Amino acid sequence: MDFRRVKYIAIDEFAVSKGHQYMTVVMDLERNEPYVKKGKDGASLRELEGNQEAKVKIKAVAMIWSCLYKSVTDHRV
């Protein structure tokens, strides 16, 4: 996913393999492009944070779980 073009995203995480492994999915809501990364609780959002140098300008984030709120605000996604 080219995060420089992304403005609106949805984020969710889910358990794989009976809850012992997690994945995070970030969806570009304008282009319907998914980005899936191993991990949870914000660890998988580090790549988004690293793209701040590439002038990522996320305007809005949709989330279901409140546990992701802190990850998003901490990383200024």
Side-chain angles (χ1 to χ4, degrees), residues 17-64:
S17 190
K18 297 183 182 180
H20 300 289
Q21 185 177 13
Y22 293 88
M23 302 289 283
T24 298
V25 63
V26 178
M27 180 70 128
D28 179 340
L29 295 175
E30 291 184 300
R31 293 172 188 79
N32 294 324
E33 293 178 11
Y35 165 79
V36 181
K37 189 82 171 176
K38 284 185 181 179
K40 66 172 190 166
D41 296 334
S44 56
L45 298 179
R46 301 251 191 264
E47 187 169 328
L48 285 173
E49 182 183 64
N51 275 279
Q52 287 181 359
E53 297 164 6
K55 300 188 188 220
V56 173
K57 298 193 181 195
I58 304 289
K59 293 184 176 185
V61 178
M63 299 173 278
I64 295 174

Side-chain angles (χ1 to χ4, degrees), residues 3-22:
F3 292 108
R4 293 172 295 178
R5 302 180 316 157
V6 177
K7 294 179 190 168
Y8 307 100
I9 61 174
I11 302 174
D12 199 5
E13 61 185 36
F14 57 93
V16 178
S17 190
K18 297 183 182 180
H20 300 289
Q21 185 177 13
Y22 293 88

